[in-house]
Amino acid sequence: MLKKLRLDQTKIYELTIATYEISTMLVDFVRGRKHYLSIGAEQGDVDTWDDLIIEKEKDLLVHIQVKRQKTNFSNDNCIRDKITKQERKGQPKDLSSIDKSMKSLAEWIKNNNNDLNKKEFHIELPNLEVQLKKGLIVGQFKDLIEQHYKPNITTTQGLSNLASKDSSVKNCYNWLNSWCDFEDWDHILNLLSIIKIKDSGLETDIKLKTEDKLKDIFISDKVKEVRERILSYIHINTTFTGAVSPRCLLFELKSYLQPNISLWTQFEKQDSKWCVSGTNDIELNTEIERPNFVIPKLWNGTLLQNLKINAELSDRCGVSDSLLRLAIHQTGNSNTHCVNSAVIRSRINDKIGGTLGLEINDVQTLSIVENNENFRCEEIKQLSSRAENRNYSDNMEKTMHLETWNKVSINIEELISGMYNIHSTTLQDQLEARWEIWKKKLNNDAQGIGELLKSIVHPRAEGESINGMLRVGMRTAQLLAESLFNLLIISIALDPENNGDWKKINDKLAPVAVGLRYWSGEAGKQRKVKAIDEDGNIIIGKETANALIFSKVTSPPNEMWNDLISYSKDQVQNSIADGKTPDLIITNCVEFRKLINKGDIEAVRNYVKSQLRDSESINLTNIKEITG
């Protein structure tokens, strides 16, 4: 009975240590740090070293031998002697439990087929004062490992010389040599490179340490309950065929997480395949980091949500481009942690021509930092084919379209509700009605949303080398809303019966809203970020739409007309002379803004109509000026 009780107590101790190690794995995983990949038991290939087995990294296992030893392992001498009494007289004395474990390790090290770089071995016990052999305690063996061994520096001759001066080192050698079958200092040197001793305290100490660690991510007054649930989870899962992995465990404990805990999503490559992992999507244990769960959190702007890109991005790769867009539009406290962040920034700069259209230096303010904690995950969604890559990227783009649209919609409604209405509410009333029609049609049309928003931030004059879709997101949502707000005004001013078509006005005008404040310049020329009103003539000259609305140009429309006339003198295409000039140019000039503030739809309508140009009867004076 006493033996059984001791065995039960040893098992309890093992489980207590396992709970601590699993808690460490879980906390590191949730915090987005390098973490153990899994923890199990009774699945090792080294005899007696399977109390606990940690998959520390891919191809690196930690075998833990748990010893709840409060009394001496042995009172025998460090040099193995023989039995002197009874029927076994003359036979070598029996090995202690720790002798047997070390002997097994000696055999494993000696086998040349085993790779010492792929395993570590830990011994965990309550304290270091326990005696291994007469005159040798665990603490002295630990000193040999930690103080007298230095990787790539310590030599066998150095250890031999030390043993001649230090009795504790000599005792370690005698014990390992005569009891555990280590042949010489070379053999022991290999042991020192892979073994650690840990004095973990007793169960009460370890439980307190575990709960203290769990407080890092879980609600403080729930950590005891969390620890007990982890213990229960271990009973179910740590078998020969099962191991505890962090994400699966987190799914069981997600209700205990601190409400404002930082979450993360990581993209890495394993065997050249994109792999996705993280904590932003733990709704189902069978699904990993679905875009429609991940992106709303990464673009939240208020919580600390981190994107990790631990791989080089590729050209002509949908996932790579989607990741750039996702990274660009993280705001608030969130960051994108990248391998080679300078390369990522340079790639973004090239693809958007150096600007999002907000400010002359807006690319410099992106929340992209170097990733200093590169780690691998095993619980992943692997995109194993081109079709899976394409499908995941399409889902990312769709979700980003819809998230941007949600934010733009909120901003437009704020613009409408915030109107001054100095003289009337007729403009506001019609804006609200027209907006409801447009919004209803667009709400579930992700492709239509993408096309509309891209057209606002990507003038044709920039050319196809600019990836305009990268400019569409949270950072430009206000700019997009202001452009659409002005487009709505022009729509109701010239087409009061419009049934919800933002692509045309009264069957004569094809509008385009140019929302940029800055752009990258004309295609085919050296890129240079400039204010949009410096080159309005170039943008107008390249557009096929015949109604252009510049929400970030504050000069009057006639100034843009004058610039266009001068520009057209030297142009062969898209000039006033060849009849491709627009029929309407609207800017956000002072006069237009004042009329909006007054709120009278008829006054706005009269102003907009006054800016219309009949393309079939172009001013002959201007033509003569151009053609000479």
Side-chain angles (χ1 to χ4, degrees), residues 51-214:
D51 293 340
L52 199 61
I53 296 177
I54 297 174
E55 186 181 6
K56 185 176 181 180
E57 299 173 9
K58 182 176 173 59
D59 297 326
L60 177 57
L61 297 178
V62 178
H63 294 247
I64 298 180
Q65 178 72 231
V66 178
K67 301 290 186 185
R68 191 185 188 278
Q69 195 75 24
K70 297 175 70 177
T71 59
N72 293 340
F73 282 106
S74 170
N75 292 316
D76 293 322
N77 294 321
C78 290
I79 296 177
R80 190 177 185 182
D81 46 16
K82 296 180 179 180
I83 298 172
T84 58
K85 298 179 181 179
Q86 301 177 348
E87 66 274 5
R88 294 183 59 200
K89 184 178 179 180
Q91 294 181 15
K93 287 188 175 180
D94 293 335
L95 301 179
S96 68
S97 62
I98 192 71
D99 296 338
K100 292 176 182 177
S101 295
M102 299 305 296
K103 184 176 186 293
S104 173
L105 194 48
E107 292 171 359
W108 185 85
I109 293 172
K110 190 175 180 180
N111 187 334
N112 292 327
N113 293 323
N114 293 325
D115 188 345
L116 300 186
N117 294 315
K118 293 188 175 182
K119 290 187 186 293
E120 294 178 10
F121 297 86
H122 297 179
I123 299 172
E124 297 226 22
L125 67 175
N127 65 74
L128 302 177
E129 302 304 315
V130 176
Q131 182 173 277
L132 294 167
K133 296 295 174 187
K134 187 183 295 183
L136 178 63
I137 61 173
V138 173
Q140 291 170 324
F141 183 37
K142 181 180 173 73
D143 289 343
L144 173 62
I145 297 166
E146 295 184 358
Q147 296 183 21
H148 301 308
Y149 170 74
K150 305 297 179 186
N152 303 316
I153 297 176
T154 303
T155 63
T156 55
Q157 186 60 53
L159 288 172
S160 179
N161 292 341
L162 181 64
S164 66
K165 302 173 184 177
D166 189 326
S167 60
S168 64
V169 175
K170 180 64 174 178
N171 287 340
C172 286
Y173 177 85
N174 289 337
W175 166 56
L176 292 169
N177 176 250
S178 65
W179 288 91
C180 309
D181 290 352
F182 282 87
E183 296 177 348
D184 50 29
W185 275 117
D186 283 322
H187 201 175
I188 293 172
L189 191 62
N190 285 329
L191 167 69
L192 300 180
S193 70
I194 58 174
I195 194 168
K196 291 182 180 178
I197 307 292
K198 299 175 74 174
D199 52 322
S200 304
L202 289 170
E203 289 86 348
T204 301
D205 304 315
I206 300 169
K207 288 176 183 178
L208 290 173
K209 187 168 62 171
T210 301
E211 291 176 10
D212 188 56
K213 182 169 288 290
L214 291 171

Side-chain angles (χ1 to χ4, degrees), residues 73 106 110 115 119 134 162 166 174 241 263 295 339 353 363 382 391 509 570 572 617 619:
F73 282 106
K110 190 175 180 180
D115 188 345
K119 290 187 186 293
K134 187 183 295 183
L162 181 64
D166 189 326
N174 289 337
T241 57
L263 302 176
I295 291 170
V339 173
V363 175
Q382 186 176 73
N391 182 60
L509 298 176
D570 301 319
V572 176
S617 57
N619 188 295

Side-chain angles (χ1 to χ4, degrees), residues 451-499:
E451 291 172 356
L452 172 61
L453 300 185
K454 179 186 175 186
S455 70
I456 294 172
V457 293
H458 186 200
R460 293 173 64 87
E462 282 188 312
E464 293 306 312
S465 65
I466 297 298
N467 187 337
M469 195 59 77
L470 295 183
R471 291 174 174 162
V472 177
M474 293 295 107
R475 287 185 181 272
T476 55
Q478 184 63 32
L479 175 149
L480 292 164
E482 290 168 2
S483 288
L484 283 175
F485 179 75
N486 284 352
L487 180 58
L488 278 163
I489 292 173
I490 304 308
S491 173
I492 60 174
L494 296 180
D495 197 359
E497 304 303 322
N498 186 297
N499 63 355

Side-chain angles (χ1 to χ4, degrees), residues 419-598:
M419 294 175 68
Y420 289 104
N421 300 324
I422 296 171
H423 293 161
S424 173
T425 63
T426 53
L427 176 61
Q428 184 183 54
D429 293 342
Q430 291 196 35
L431 273 173
E432 185 176 29
R434 181 65 52 87
W435 167 239
E436 288 301 320
I437 296 171
W438 286 17
K439 185 172 70 168
K440 185 176 180 180
K441 285 196 169 188
L442 278 165
N443 269 347
N444 297 311
D445 181 7
Q447 183 176 348
I449 290 169
E451 291 172 356
L452 172 61
L453 300 185
K454 179 186 175 186
S455 70
I456 294 172
V457 293
H458 186 200
R460 293 173 64 87
E462 282 188 312
E464 293 306 312
S465 65
I466 297 298
N467 187 337
M469 195 59 77
L470 295 183
R471 291 174 174 162
V472 177
M474 293 295 107
R475 287 185 181 272
T476 55
Q478 184 63 32
L479 175 149
L480 292 164
E482 290 168 2
S483 288
L484 283 175
F485 179 75
N486 284 352
L487 180 58
L488 278 163
I489 292 173
I490 304 308
S491 173
I492 60 174
L494 296 180
D495 197 359
E497 304 303 322
N498 186 297
N499 63 355
D501 191 347
W502 50 88
K503 295 181 181 179
K504 64 179 182 179
I505 297 174
N506 65 25
D507 296 324
K508 293 182 180 180
L509 298 176
V512 62
V514 180
L516 300 178
R517 180 178 283 110
Y518 291 87
W519 76 313
S520 68
E522 187 176 3
K525 298 184 178 180
Q526 184 176 0
R527 296 292 182 188
K528 182 179 180 181
V529 178
K530 295 182 286 185
I532 201 81
D533 54 6
E534 293 180 25
D535 293 321
N537 49 2
I538 299 174
I539 293 172
I540 295 168
K542 297 294 184 180
E543 284 295 340
T544 57
N546 63 346
L548 285 90
I549 304 154
F550 291 86
S551 59
K552 295 302 178 184
V553 174
T554 56
S555 57
N558 65 297
E559 290 189 17
M560 300 195 79
W561 281 114
N562 292 337
D563 288 344
L564 182 61
I565 291 168
S566 300
Y567 172 73
S568 298
K569 291 180 181 180
D570 301 319
Q571 305 302 310
V572 176
Q573 295 180 337
N574 294 343
S575 68
I576 291 179
D578 65 18
K580 295 182 180 179
T581 188
D583 297 315
L584 177 67
I585 296 175
I586 293 290
T587 66
N588 199 29
C589 63
V590 172
E591 184 179 2
F592 186 51
R593 294 199 304 273
K594 285 182 176 180
L595 290 171
I596 294 171
N597 290 339
K598 290 178 180 179

